[in-house]
Amino acid sequence: MRLTRCQAALAAAITLNLLVLFYVSWLQHQPRNSRARGPRRASAVGPRVTVLVREFEAFDNAVPELVDSFLQQDPAQPVVVAADTLPYPPLALPRIPNVRLALLQPALDRPAAASRPETYVATEFVALVPDGARAEAPGLLERMVEALRGGSARLVAAPVATANPARCLALNVSLREWTARYGAAPAAPRCDALDGDAVVLLRARDLFNLSAPLARPVGTSLFLQTALRGWAVQLLDLTFAAARQPPLATAHARWKAEREGRTRRAALLRALGIRLVSWEGGRLEWFGCNKETTRCFGTVVGDTPAYLYEERWTPPCCLRALRETARYVVGVLEAAGVRYWLEGGSLLGAARHGDIIPWDYDVDLGIYLEDVGNCEQLRGAEAGSVVDERGFVWEKAVEGDFFRVQYSESNHLHVDLWPFYPRNGVMTKDTWLDHRQDVEFPEHFLQPLVPLPFAGFVAQAPNNYRRFLELKFGPGVIENPQYPNPALLSLTGSG
């Protein structure tokens, strides 16, 4: 039986369709990583950027519109929406292979890789797109890629035309001081960080090599980590449109998002070890301990706080509490006529730079034993712990015959008061601890006492305090700083 020309054409078309379907099915069943490892030049055929949506509120968002806007520009655009847990109400996302919902919190019924965001990204670049953004013009992501490849910045960004578009900031992160300092960017549009809404593009390997690549708030987390590494971000002369139906349109939704955002941000900063944020203009935000909380570190072993082993110094919130406690205690002593003087490391800090030593964890004062009865709080502490009207706790120290004034009942940052008495012209006391500086000294160092700036106020100090310090610590102690126990840990490296 002979085939007609029409039948032959139909058979050929069916065969060709079957071959195409077979190839597409084979391609979809290949492992992601094997497809990603194809020839470099092949990436120019398809998308080179994954759109990653992380910053949104589950209870009120415009994520479906955001995703749809990028798919309208390129139906093959890879999109990953990342959330800690399954969003509720559910997100109305397209059910197509290139749009994925990534749940970052580990679960019993999922493999380990499912909670790692890098599992979902097979492109060279990632664009972090905030909720409320929309791709209205074609080619924006490709233009950002070319800007990144052609410049020296490790990140590029394009503002979103919302009520809070991105602007450049300078950012200095000091892990040693637990501090992030923001300021005006001296070389905008190239800067350390952004404030406001922006699409940020960087290489996927750079993003996922960060220790917390998708921690929220994404902007705060990302720029703290990149600024610490010295990576610059360039703010481009491109703009993404705002959502037609913007999220958080009601006052209640904005209030809820702001409340949850503050909680999220505080948790992030504490987790990353940032206790103080200094903003452009000098405004300070504190994220460490206060009078109602415990202090930032536990029991000190071998005169070496745990934070020194982390190559950090005393958290700024703890220094603030110590300064406040010292100023208060000195005011009480002076009002009661108790003779006192800066002792030990506190005198050393005053002599060196007029403040508490940056890695110290308490304040030491010497007092005349015979003056203890002049002070109501010290008399009360003889019988037991006393909490005064300002919330400071006065008590006898459990380690020996001296007094301790704690910042509060919760926060045990403290000032130690060491009672000395003269004997044959030498100042001595009844409790001696195993500290190098804990020695007797001639009373003439206290006759007279002299004023010395310390921790934001003026305190009394031994006259000729240089000789006094060298008697206790050794020659050159002011000019040669060292940690309290160099045998355990030295300032220049581990002991």
Side-chain angles (χ1 to χ4, degrees), residues 52-73:
L52 206 163
V53 185
R54 171 63 169 146
E55 196 60 70
F56 67 95
E57 300 295 346
F59 60 84
D60 188 348
N61 61 75
V63 171
E65 181 187 345
L66 182 161
V67 173
D68 183 63
S69 72
F70 281 92
L71 294 178
Q72 286 183 24
Q73 304 303 323

Side-chain angles (χ1 to χ4, degrees), residues 189-403:
R190 184 183 172 95
C191 46
D192 303 314
L194 300 175
D195 178 35
D197 298 325
V199 174
V200 180
L201 183 136
L202 69 165
R203 288 177 172 81
R205 67 170 182 266
D206 283 348
L207 175 65
F208 296 121
N209 276 332
L210 299 176
S211 60
L214 294 182
R216 296 181 67 191
V218 172
T220 302
S221 167
L222 177 68
F223 295 122
L224 284 172
Q225 295 176 87
T226 57
L228 182 66
R229 290 160 172 79
W231 299 359
V233 56
Q234 182 178 358
L235 190 59
L236 304 176
D237 188 20
L238 301 174
T239 303
F240 282 80
R244 291 190 177 94
Q245 295 184 335
L248 310 176
T250 68
H252 177 74
R254 288 192 296 274
W255 169 82
K256 187 175 179 180
E258 289 169 3
R259 183 191 63 179
E260 295 189 5
R262 285 193 300 270
T263 300
R264 205 176 285 133
R265 182 166 171 267
L268 168 74
L269 291 169
R270 292 188 181 104
L272 295 181
I274 300 297
R275 298 289 182 265
L276 175 62
V277 175
S278 174
W279 286 102
E280 181 182 4
R283 181 172 66 90
L284 301 179
E285 278 190 286
W286 297 87
F287 296 94
C289 64
N290 56 49
K291 218 168 177 69
E292 286 72 45
T293 71
T294 59
R295 68 184 185 185
C296 295
F297 56 96
T299 302
V300 176
V301 177
D303 295 329
T304 307
Y307 51 78
L308 290 183
Y309 292 102
E310 301 173 13
E311 298 184 3
R312 293 180 179 237
W313 288 354
T314 309
C317 48
C318 297
L319 290 173
R320 179 179 64 164
L322 286 173
R323 292 184 186 108
E324 183 181 339
T325 307
R327 179 194 289 268
Y328 177 72
V329 169
V330 163
V332 170
L333 297 179
E334 289 180 345
V338 176
R339 290 167 291 174
Y340 75 91
W341 61 93
L342 293 169
E343 261 288 349
S346 300
L347 177 61
L348 185 55
R352 195 176 282 156
H353 47 244
D355 202 352
I356 298 168
I357 293 174
W359 51 83
D360 210 350
Y361 53 89
D362 64 6
V363 171
D364 291 308
L365 299 176
I367 61 174
Y368 270 87
L369 177 61
E370 63 186 277
D371 293 346
V372 167
N374 297 342
C375 178
E376 177 185 352
Q377 290 87 339
L378 292 178
R379 290 197 309 271
E382 294 271 20
S385 182
V386 174
V387 181
D388 68 19
E389 69 280 359
R390 293 276 299 277
F392 293 91
V393 182
W394 299 70
E395 61 187 8
K396 265 294 188 62
V398 296
E399 299 94 325
D401 191 21
F402 63 99
F403 297 94

Side-chain angles (χ1 to χ4, degrees), residues 403-416:
F403 297 94
R404 177 163 288 162
V405 185
Q406 297 183 150
Y407 187 45
S408 71
E409 292 182 280
S410 301
N411 191 325
H412 294 172
L413 289 160
H414 58 266
V415 172
D416 284 335

